[in-house]
Amino acid sequence: MAWYCSGSTNNELIENLSREGLIKDERVKRAMMAVDRGHYAPSRPYSDSPQPIGHGATISAPHMHGHACEYLIKYLQPGSRVLDIGSGSGYLTHVIARLVMDQSPNEGSKGQVIGVDHIQELVTMAESNMGKSEDGRNLLAAERVKFIKADGRRGWPDGAPYDAIHVGAAAQELHPLLVEQLRAPGRMFIPVDIDQNQGTLASTALGGGQYIWVVDKMEDGSIHKEKVFPVSYVPLTDPPK
């Protein structure tokens, strides 16, 4: 599918993804149009494929960014608070920020996205990448977006609770601390390595490999987990030695 959707510009890439049905939500499409992937991927930025960004990390294929936003879209509303774990290049953090920007005059209800990565060079890179556009610079200056060096497996409790949590690397378990940091109601989109985790998530976890799980914290605090599709992500681990 990737070679069908790649483009020569950001707009062409997103239009191709939309035409092929890989982006369905109009809000997601507009947000991805507004953030030039060329500021975030060091090579072939408009290819629908993952690209290395150094330090053993990648920027995911844009169709995966679209999927993540669409699974979370109910919780990516103006004024929402979002945690982006494994923020890497900063691209998806910026896209999510576009989705939660509060255009109302109520200054007390601004949305915020916190990007967490465990490698300082990637935190610095994400800030630098966002600084390549006026929109990115404004978001950083207003602290609508913040990048923090931290262990993503522990989330960032100082900013909790979050309406949505996106995890951009494969966890070996469904970390309880992340579930705790969800608002009720709230949703988490997380890749989990089933081979590392048989029997831990749910009795319905069939087969091995990495899968996206959508985890909902209901209004009453109960948890609902759904395994949705197979993926291949870099692991959510300690920083490389």
Side-chain angles (χ1 to χ4, degrees):
M1 182 65 74
W3 61 277
Y4 284 121
C5 297
S6 299
S8 58
T9 65
N10 192 70
N11 282 4
E12 185 178 357
L13 166 66
I14 306 308
E15 287 290 359
N16 289 344
L17 290 168
S18 177
R19 186 183 64 248
E20 293 295 327
L22 293 173
I23 298 175
K24 299 181 177 68
D25 187 276
E26 188 60 31
R27 288 183 61 223
V28 172
K29 180 180 177 181
R30 289 198 302 269
M32 293 180 71
M33 283 278 195
V35 181
D36 190 345
R37 190 175 160 92
H39 294 161
Y40 293 88
S43 64
R44 297 188 293 134
Y46 309 123
S47 172
D48 187 27
S49 60
Q51 306 291 331
I53 57 173
H55 308 281
T58 62
I59 176 174
S60 295
H63 74 266
M64 279 303 306
H65 288 140
H67 289 334
C69 289
E70 291 189 340
Y71 271 98
L72 294 171
I73 193 64
K74 178 181 176 182
Y75 301 91
L76 302 180
Q77 300 298 326
S80 293
R81 294 185 59 79
V82 184
L83 182 63
D84 182 20
I85 295 172
S87 47
S89 72
Y91 170 77
L92 186 59
T93 320
H94 193 170
V95 172
I96 292 173
R98 297 290 307 177
L99 290 165
V100 304
M101 283 177 60
D102 189 349
Q103 302 294 343
S104 78
N106 181 359
E107 292 298 317
S109 62
K110 290 180 178 178
Q112 185 183 49
V113 189
I114 297 176
V116 170
D117 209 290
H118 61 180
I119 300 173
Q120 181 60 51
E121 289 84 354
L122 293 179
V123 172
T124 302
M125 176 193 296
E127 292 173 339
S128 175
N129 288 342
M130 282 202 72
K132 294 174 183 175
S133 68
E134 181 179 3
D135 183 62
R137 291 191 294 273
N138 290 340
L139 289 167
L140 289 170
E143 295 193 338
R144 296 288 194 95
V145 173
K146 294 175 68 175
F147 292 103
I148 295 167
K149 180 182 181 295
D151 185 344
R153 295 168 297 185
R154 303 183 64 82
W156 187 251
D158 289 358
Y162 301 102
D163 298 280
I165 297 176
H166 169 265
V167 183
Q172 293 185 358
E173 62 175 311
L174 185 57
H175 297 287
L177 285 173
L178 302 184
V179 179
E180 288 177 16
Q181 290 171 37
L182 274 176
R183 194 184 302 278
R187 173 172 286 186
M188 177 163 58
F189 178 97
I190 178 171
V192 179
D193 192 336
I194 299 300
D195 285 335
Q196 302 290 331
N197 197 46
Q198 285 288 358
T200 301
L201 286 176
S203 60
T204 55
L206 303 176
Q210 295 179 8
Y211 283 82
I212 292 295
W213 286 77
V214 172
V215 181
D216 285 312
K217 181 182 280 189
M218 305 305 188
E219 195 163 358
D220 63 2
S222 62
I223 305 299
H224 176 266
K225 296 168 284 196
E226 182 183 3
K227 173 184 170 186
V228 290
F229 57 86
V231 289
S232 179
Y233 277 74
V234 297
L236 184 65
T237 61
D238 294 322
K241 300 294 187 291

